[in-house]
Amino acid sequence: MLDSLTEKLSKTLKNLTGQGRISEKNISETLKEIREALIDADVALSVVKHLLNDIKKRALGHEVLRSLSPGETLIKIIHDELILVMGEKNEVLNLAAQPPAVILMAGLQGSGKTTTAAKLAHFLQETEHKKVLLASTDVYRPAAIEQLQILATQINASFHPCDPKDSPLKIARSALVSAQEKGFDVLIVDTAGRLHIDKEMMTEIQDLHKALNPIETLFVVDSMTGQDAAKTAQAFNEALALTGVILSKMDGDARGGAALSVRYLTGKPVKFIGNGEKIEALTPFYPERLVSRILGRGDIVSLVESIQRNVDQEKSAKLAKKIQSGRGFSLDDFKGQLLEMKKMGGLAELADKLPGMPNLPQNIKNKMMDDKVLTRFEAMINSMTKKERNFPDLINGSRKRRITQGSGTSIQDLNQLLKQFTGMQKMAKKLGKPGGMSKMMRQLGGKLPQGLLG
Ligand SMILES: Nc1nc2c(ncn2[C@@H]2O[C@H](COP(=O)(O)OP(=O)(O)OP(=O)(O)O)[C@@H](O)[C@H]2O)c(=O)[nH]1
Ligand SMILES: [Mg+2]
């Protein structure tokens, strides 16, 4: 699955890794190749355009991180944009309804609705321990009802028996009543396959929808139909308020077009993918995992991952270097670090990233996470003269009053800042010595240096 997209993208991106920097010129060829790869993967044209636009905008406006080559930066951008277009995170089924939570299955003929209904029942029984009732309203295709009944037996799910001579609406209503009476958590209603242009059949499913008031209306679509899958989902969504899409047959030679297009074209998330004929072959859809597959399991993905690590490492390394230099460590440097810490998501985040730093107790984390402290520190340093920043020992009583008045802080705040600064300075000196870092980590043994926290 998705092999050719993977192959093409890997090749394109590998060619870029030798380049010096990202420019309009050297990126245009790559973008063209990416465009071709996406079109070959049968991604809808509007999605391709949107993706390329965003990739280009971000790539050109992107500050290329020093530790990364432009090629690596571009891979990271493509990685992020592909995830973005698919909706970033896994969207779970919403079952928060007065039981039974009703799930209505919809889709074209042969898309995999019946199989998926049973797979879903199995999934909910196994992973969420739900009591599931399956019902079929497909009175049109001979043996369609039996098909679901057999699957239900296989997975030990309950099945709502019905007479194929009854109308789908009648069957649906009686299934709902039965589920309510018997205390089922979930009722999954299978429907006959239909075309969105078949007015009569669309009215029928709209009526079913009204009668059942499902919390989830899932469109099951064959992913092998590529961008057409996304387009039919779009058309169905206009007639029926879908809550999600399930891409079936992702184990076949799906080229990726459906997965990449559905979310963008319908605004509805892909919640699951079907990847086999077996009853277990249904997996929650994680955009990130699919992107990893698209970009290839091998070197490209690990490259992306190492980039992620590099980005973090580069930031921490910068910080460590400053700390290690020790000499001339001024309040301006301290402020620079505070700003950096803020950018990196606050102190707690930083502490989590420091190697060898064991899990900190929550109360310390909370204290560290208080970024208001950072803001106060910054304000106080801003109110200092250059001389005071370089020689904090100068800061006496009257200077303290001036600084705190100027920054709207208290003497206590300023004392805390100076104490932390001194602690940092001391630590910097220690770290500056050979082996200082690892020695200190050992000494710390889970505690932060005095003075860093005040
Ligand atoms: N390989 C593979 N086959 C699948 C998958 N999902 C469904 N199928 C197969 O697709 C065929 C059609 O599946 P059904 O579940 O009967 O499809 P349907 O949408 O209920 O069909 P109608 O009721 O006729 O509209 C069956 O042979 C299934 O085994 C999947 O994820 N992978
Ligand atoms: Mg069916």
Side-chain angles (χ1 to χ4, degrees), residues 20-57:
R21 53 186 290 258
I22 292 182
S23 67
E24 183 99 38
K25 195 159 155 270
N26 67 11
I27 203 183
S28 71
E29 192 56 33
T30 308
L31 287 177
K32 223 192 278 164
E33 285 170 25
I34 294 170
R35 184 190 153 86
E36 267 166 37
L38 291 171
I39 287 174
D40 281 350
D42 203 21
V43 179
L45 202 58
S46 57
V47 181
V48 175
K49 274 189 185 153
H50 163 84
L51 264 171
L52 281 173
N53 223 333
D54 277 13
I55 292 171
K56 187 174 172 188
K57 234 184 352 211

Side-chain angles (χ1 to χ4, degrees), residues 6 9-10 13-14 72 75-76 79 82-83 287-309:
T6 298
L9 280 181
S10 314
L13 295 170
K14 262 184 201 144
E72 290 165 340
I75 293 168
K76 177 81 176 79
H79 178 260
L82 288 178
I83 290 174
E288 169 117 39
R289 287 183 202 167
L290 190 72
V291 171
S292 293
R293 278 163 82 173
I294 290 172
L295 292 178
R297 268 192 207 84
D299 41 358
I300 297 284
V301 170
S302 50
L303 192 57
V304 170
E305 279 162 4
S306 81
I307 289 164
Q308 193 72 60
R309 277 197 301 276

Side-chain angles (χ1 to χ4, degrees), residues 109-115 119 141 147 193 249 251 274 276-277:
Q109 265 137 12
S111 63
K113 295 174 298 298
T114 305
T115 315
K119 284 179 177 179
R141 190 164 62 74
Q147 184 193 352
K249 308 179 198 181
D251 53 310
E277 291 192 69

Side-chain angles (χ1 to χ4, degrees), residues 4-288:
S4 82
L5 180 58
T6 298
E7 200 178 298
K8 285 203 187 89
L9 280 181
S10 314
K11 218 168 99 202
T12 305
L13 295 170
K14 262 184 201 144
N15 288 341
L16 238 185
T17 42
Q19 307 274 353
R21 53 186 290 258
I22 292 182
S23 67
E24 183 99 38
K25 195 159 155 270
N26 67 11
I27 203 183
S28 71
E29 192 56 33
T30 308
L31 287 177
K32 223 192 278 164
E33 285 170 25
I34 294 170
R35 184 190 153 86
E36 267 166 37
L38 291 171
I39 287 174
D40 281 350
D42 203 21
V43 179
L45 202 58
S46 57
V47 181
V48 175
K49 274 189 185 153
H50 163 84
L51 264 171
L52 281 173
N53 223 333
D54 277 13
I55 292 171
K56 187 174 172 188
K57 234 184 352 211
R58 268 188 68 190
L60 291 177
H62 207 273
E63 160 201 5
V64 176
L65 290 153
R66 249 159 296 138
S67 62
L68 304 181
S69 76
E72 290 165 340
T73 306
L74 192 60
I75 293 168
K76 177 81 176 79
I77 292 171
I78 293 170
H79 178 260
D80 292 352
E81 289 295 329
L82 288 178
I83 290 174
L84 214 59
V85 86
M86 286 192 278
E88 289 182 89
K89 58 177 196 339
N90 169 247
E91 298 251 2
V92 294
L93 275 186
N94 178 9
L95 299 176
Q98 176 85 12
V102 179
I103 303 177
L104 181 64
M105 313 295 287
L108 304 183
Q109 265 137 12
S111 63
K113 295 174 298 298
T114 305
T115 315
T116 307
K119 284 179 177 179
L120 207 52
H122 181 65
F123 176 87
L124 291 174
Q125 289 182 153
E126 292 297 306
T127 61
E128 317 235 333
H129 309 291
K130 299 285 188 199
K131 205 175 151 204
V132 184
L133 179 66
L134 280 161
S136 173
T137 59
D138 187 353
V139 296
Y140 305 100
R141 190 164 62 74
I145 297 173
E146 288 81 353
Q147 184 193 352
L148 186 62
Q149 185 168 18
I150 292 166
L151 290 169
T153 314
Q154 260 179 40
I155 57 169
N156 280 323
S158 300
F159 180 77
H160 177 72
C162 63
D163 185 345
K165 286 192 214 77
D166 282 340
S167 74
L169 197 57
K170 188 170 173 196
I171 298 172
R173 284 196 175 122
S174 72
L176 184 58
V177 170
S178 167
Q180 280 161 347
E181 282 173 357
K182 293 180 185 146
F184 281 94
D185 301 315
V186 180
L187 166 66
I188 302 179
V189 180
D190 187 19
T191 60
R194 68 201 68 218
L195 286 170
H196 68 273
I197 45 167
D198 187 334
K199 274 223 174 76
E200 213 173 302
M201 287 299 276
M202 287 314 282
T203 308
E204 181 201 274
I205 202 164
Q206 284 163 344
D207 290 344
L208 286 174
H209 187 270
K210 238 181 264 163
L212 290 165
N213 189 24
I215 188 144
E216 286 280 3
T217 303
L218 300 173
F219 186 70
V220 181
V221 65
D222 181 342
S223 60
M224 286 200 282
T225 58
Q227 60 170 312
D228 282 342
K231 286 188 176 145
T232 44
Q234 196 178 15
F236 256 78
N237 191 41
E238 278 158 23
L240 197 64
L242 303 178
T243 55
V245 175
I246 298 184
L247 293 178
S248 68
K249 308 179 198 181
M250 281 289 276
D251 53 310
D253 60 354
R255 285 175 291 172
L260 282 163
S261 311
V262 161
R263 177 66 186 242
Y264 184 81
L265 290 187
T266 63
K268 297 294 151 69
V270 175
K271 294 200 168 176
F272 288 89
I273 56 174
N275 42 14
E277 291 192 69
K278 290 215 179 85
I279 213 84
E280 298 82 18
L282 183 77
T283 2
F285 177 69
Y286 288 91
E288 169 117 39

Side-chain angles (χ1 to χ4, degrees), residues 366-424:
N366 289 345
K367 200 166 175 190
M368 292 177 85
M369 223 136 23
D370 184 5
D371 288 331
K372 273 190 237 127
V373 176
L374 298 188
T375 313
R376 272 206 300 275
F377 279 7
E378 210 187 313
M380 287 186 279
I381 297 174
N382 285 341
S383 295
M384 293 174 191
T385 64
K386 200 160 176 56
K387 216 167 164 189
E388 284 164 348
R389 292 182 205 183
N390 284 324
F391 305 100
D393 288 345
L394 283 177
I395 302 174
N396 57 15
S398 67
R399 285 180 192 260
K400 276 187 184 173
R401 268 194 303 283
R402 199 203 73 244
I403 293 165
T404 51
Q405 269 164 17
S407 56
T409 54
S410 68
I411 299 281
Q412 207 185 356
D413 291 333
L414 182 52
N415 286 341
Q416 192 194 0
L417 164 69
L418 292 173
K419 195 170 152 202
Q420 293 206 5
F421 171 72
T422 317
M424 197 78 145

